[in-house]
């Protein structure tokens, strides 16, 4: 019913890119950018690339190739690493890719049915900035031992972008994609990607995306995650684990994922305009809030059977004196204008309360939400201080303080409940997501 990719067309690099030699003539002020054809990593790694240069990777099986794409491009003259034909440069065996420089772009590669011996599969280096990986896939790149931990993509550096890629079938330990922090914000963008099925790992470390670590959690990242599809990402409880500050998770589609979007560590994050459809799948959950000054608004949550920590909106209790890796008190959370349909527990306040997690949320605002046919409307395992419950509209449940009878603000459009006058087509139906060369698929 719901399209994972919007159109797919195999496209070739323009023929004029092949009119080149593998050597550069004497440099001059007005020298034109060079174009190179390469057939293996040794040839590619030996190049001394300048702004505006283009490298073409010839079609075929690139087995166990360690590619180090290095150079310093500019905004006006980026350095390009392109597949001869998108999707037909196959990186197999123990291949991996390091993107190391400024204004570098990689387009059209396919990692498939291999595994990494040591390094993560794709690394944006600590020195990278304004680099981009696009139209690339990593599929079933798993070692024999599922306990072996490596990431499929590690994002270091600043202002890097991952877009229109496909990552699917990760079955071994290690987060699929990690944004690594240091003492300065990194402003990465992760958009229009397809994160395909990931089976349950059965242990911690199976997140699909993690932004930061507990060590750096009080630092800001300013990473934006938008217009991605998460399809049956069941690795562990945290589909996206936010462990830093000032990140935006917006306009993403979570389809039958056994987990939650989790504000795990850090403050001042926003989760908005996302779609979470569980279809009643066991352990499918919603949004879990921990920490300070978070905003959760205009999300659509439907058919989620998760309870307590996996409720549609779960607001956790905390420790009295938490360490960086532990649970911090929820303060000043703003939860409003979300639509919650047929979820087992719409709101859980004080989730996880026990002998240690005994500090209730403070200054929590829950306003102007729409709740249809909840199993339980409001579960309080603890009593938040300075709680504001106001004008939350309900259909199919008994009213409580802060909840009122549903008005006629909503109507069914494009298969989901939407506000009248604000109807829109969900982005995955008419927006290109994943590599352009991938065949259209359906959920």
């Amino acid at each position: 019913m719901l399209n994972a990719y919007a159109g797919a067309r195999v496209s070739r690099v323009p023929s004029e890119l092949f009119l080149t030699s593998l050597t550069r003539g004497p440099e001059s002020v007005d020298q034109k950018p060079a174009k190179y054809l390469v057939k293996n990593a040794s040839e590619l790694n030996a190049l001394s690339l300048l702004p505006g240069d283009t490298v073409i990777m010839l079609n075929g099986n690139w087995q166990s190739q360690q590619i180090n794409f290095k150079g310093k491009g500019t905004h006006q003259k980026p350095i390009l690493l392109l597949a001869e034909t998108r999707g037909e440069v196959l990186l197999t065996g123990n291949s991996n890719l390091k993107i190391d420089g400024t204004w570098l772009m990689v387009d059209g590669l396919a990692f498939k049915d291999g595994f990494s011996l040591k390094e993560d599969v794709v690394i944006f280096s600590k020195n990278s900035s304004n680099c981009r990986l696009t139209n690339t896939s990593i599929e079933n790149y798993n070692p024999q031992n599922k306990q072996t931990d490596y990431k499929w993509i590690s994002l270091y550096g600043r202002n890097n972008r991952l877009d229109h890629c496909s990552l699917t079938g990760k079955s071994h330990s290690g987060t699929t994609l990690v944004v690594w922090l240091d003492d300065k914000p990194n402003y990465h963008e992760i958009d229009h990607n397809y994160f395909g099925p990931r089976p349950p790992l059965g242990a911690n470390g199976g997140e699909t995306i993690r932004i930061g670590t507990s060590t750096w959690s009080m630092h800001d990242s300013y990473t934006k995650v938008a217009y991605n599809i998460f399809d049956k990402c069941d690795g562990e409880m945290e589909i996206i684990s936010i462990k830093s500050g000032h990140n935006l998770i917006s306009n993403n589609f979570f389809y039958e994922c056994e987990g939650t979007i989790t504000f795990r560590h850090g403050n001042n994050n926003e989760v908005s305009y996302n779609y979470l459809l569980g279809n009643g799948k066991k352990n499918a959950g919603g949004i879990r809030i921990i920490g300070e000054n978070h905003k959760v608004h205009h999300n659509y949550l439907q058919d989620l059977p998760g309870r307590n920590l996996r409720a549609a909106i779960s607001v956790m209790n905390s420790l009295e004196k938490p360490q960086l890796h532990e649970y911090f008190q929820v303060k000043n959370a703003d939860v409003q204008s979300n639509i919650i349909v047929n979820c087992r527990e719409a709101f859980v306040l004080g989730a996880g309360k026990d002998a240690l997690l005994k500090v209730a949320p403070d200054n929590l605002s829950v306003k102007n939400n729409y709740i249809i046919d909840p199993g339980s409307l409001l579960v309080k395992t603890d009593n938040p201080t300075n709680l504001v419950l106001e004008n939350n509209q309900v259909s199919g449940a008994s009213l409580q303080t802060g909840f009122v009878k549903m008005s006629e603000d909503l109507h069914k459009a494009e298969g989901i409940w939407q506000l009248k006058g604000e109807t829109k087509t969900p982005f995955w139906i008419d927006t290109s997501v994943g590599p352009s060369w991938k065949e259209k698929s359906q959920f």
Side-chain angles (χ1 to χ4, degrees):
M1 178 181 68
L2 303 169
N3 296 328
Y5 299 121
R9 183 179 63 188
V10 175
S11 58
R12 296 184 62 86
V13 175
S15 59
E16 61 265 23
L17 294 185
F18 293 91
L19 305 177
T20 182
S21 76
L22 289 175
T23 59
R24 182 194 299 275
E27 294 189 12
S28 63
V29 175
D30 59 351
Q31 181 175 322
K32 292 183 179 180
K35 300 182 178 73
Y36 302 95
L37 304 178
V38 295
K39 61 180 180 297
N40 56 49
S42 296
E43 290 183 355
L44 194 160
N45 297 345
L47 297 173
S48 296
L49 299 169
L50 297 178
D53 285 354
T54 297
V55 182
I56 309 298
M57 297 174 65
L58 295 177
N59 292 347
N61 184 10
W62 288 53
Q63 185 171 10
S64 300
Q65 301 291 302
Q66 281 67 56
I67 298 168
N68 186 13
F69 181 36
K70 190 170 185 176
K72 293 185 177 180
T74 67
H75 187 196
Q76 293 76 21
K77 293 183 177 181
I79 302 173
L80 308 181
L81 178 61
L82 309 177
E84 178 185 353
T85 305
R86 286 174 174 166
E88 295 189 24
V89 173
L90 304 178
L91 291 143
T92 61
N94 311 125
S95 296
N96 54 33
L97 166 67
K98 186 175 184 180
I99 300 171
D100 185 18
T102 59
W103 296 102
L104 305 177
M105 186 178 82
V106 180
D107 188 338
L109 308 185
F111 291 83
K112 188 174 179 63
D113 298 329
F115 62 94
S116 180
L117 292 175
K118 183 178 179 181
E119 298 283 349
D120 298 336
V121 182
V122 176
I123 300 175
F124 289 75
S125 78
K126 293 181 179 179
N127 298 317
S128 65
S129 64
N130 298 293
C131 295
R132 180 184 179 194
L133 177 66
T134 187
N135 279 309
T136 291
S137 69
I138 306 177
E139 297 180 358
N140 303 315
Y141 221 72
N142 298 306
Q144 290 185 346
N145 184 354
K146 68 178 292 187
Q147 304 305 320
T148 302
D149 185 333
Y150 57 81
K151 284 61 176 172
W152 280 11
I153 296 181
S154 276
L155 270 168
Y156 294 90
R158 304 276 182 278
N159 300 101
N160 295 318
R161 183 183 180 197
L162 177 81
D163 69 282
H164 294 91
C165 292
S166 172
L167 309 177
T168 187
K170 192 176 196 293
S171 61
H172 66 96
S173 183
T175 306
T176 305
L177 185 161
V178 177
V179 173
W180 300 95
L181 268 68
D182 55 26
D183 58 348
K184 296 180 182 178
N186 42 40
Y187 298 99
H188 295 317
E189 295 187 10
I190 302 166
D191 63 280
H192 296 90
N193 301 290
Y194 174 73
F195 295 92
R198 177 170 187 178
L201 183 62
N204 193 30
E207 307 99 321
T208 296
I209 293 178
R210 191 182 77 228
I211 305 173
T213 61
S214 57
T215 303
W216 290 97
S217 59
M218 295 301 143
H219 291 71
D220 293 331
S221 175
Y222 287 94
T223 288
K224 180 179 180 180
V225 180
Y227 297 103
N228 302 284
I229 292 174
F230 297 83
D231 179 12
K232 303 179 184 67
C233 295
D234 301 337
E236 65 148 77
M237 182 176 177
E238 298 175 12
I239 310 163
I240 296 181
S241 182
I242 305 170
K243 295 187 175 182
S244 53
H246 283 102
N247 299 292
L248 174 63
I249 314 299
S250 186
N251 284 290
N252 300 284
F253 178 32
F254 298 82
Y255 183 77
E256 294 187 2
C257 294
E258 292 187 12
T260 65
I261 304 171
T262 302
F263 297 89
R264 185 60 186 87
H265 302 300
N267 304 313
N268 302 296
N269 294 294
E270 178 180 334
V271 172
S272 57
Y273 296 97
N274 300 285
Y275 302 82
L276 294 90
L277 274 63
N279 284 343
K281 184 178 179 179
K282 183 180 179 180
N283 293 326
I287 299 166
R288 183 163 62 121
I289 304 173
I290 305 159
E292 300 182 13
N293 307 320
H294 298 311
K295 299 182 184 299
V296 177
H297 63 93
H298 292 95
N299 299 285
Y300 185 88
L301 306 99
Q302 181 173 324
D303 298 330
L304 303 174
R307 298 180 59 249
N308 198 5
L309 305 183
R310 298 175 187 260
I313 305 291
S314 177
V315 186
M316 282 199 67
N317 261 25
S318 67
L319 299 171
E320 288 185 318
K321 296 180 180 180
Q323 301 298 309
L324 279 176
H325 65 282
E326 295 178 322
Y327 292 90
F328 282 75
Q329 186 181 17
V330 175
K331 295 181 180 179
N332 311 318
D334 185 15
V335 180
Q336 63 173 299
S337 302
N338 301 285
I339 299 175
I340 303 171
V341 181
N342 193 36
C343 293
R344 184 170 180 178
E345 293 180 342
F347 299 98
V348 174
L349 309 184
K353 179 183 178 180
D354 59 19
L356 296 176
L357 295 173
K358 56 186 180 181
V359 180
D362 179 53
N363 197 30
L364 169 64
S365 177
V366 181
K367 296 181 179 180
N368 304 317
N369 298 284
Y370 297 86
I371 308 97
I372 299 173
D373 297 331
S376 296
L377 177 59
L378 177 64
V379 177
K380 287 186 179 180
T381 55
D382 207 342
N383 293 305
T385 55
N386 302 305
L387 171 64
V388 177
L389 284 170
E390 185 178 295
N391 194 41
N392 297 288
Q393 299 190 31
V394 181
S395 173
S398 299
L399 300 182
Q400 304 180 36
T401 301
F403 295 86
V404 299
K405 184 178 178 181
M406 182 76 70
S407 66
E408 296 184 0
D409 291 352
L410 301 181
H411 70 141
K412 210 64 169 301
E414 300 285 354
I416 59 176
W417 291 97
Q418 302 197 51
L419 285 170
K420 294 176 180 177
E422 299 182 17
T423 300
K424 60 182 180 181
T425 300
F427 76 89
W428 63 87
I429 294 177
D430 60 3
T431 301
S432 176
V433 175
S436 62
W437 48 269
K438 279 280 190 182
E439 292 295 327
K440 181 182 288 187
S441 64
Q442 293 184 331
F443 293 117

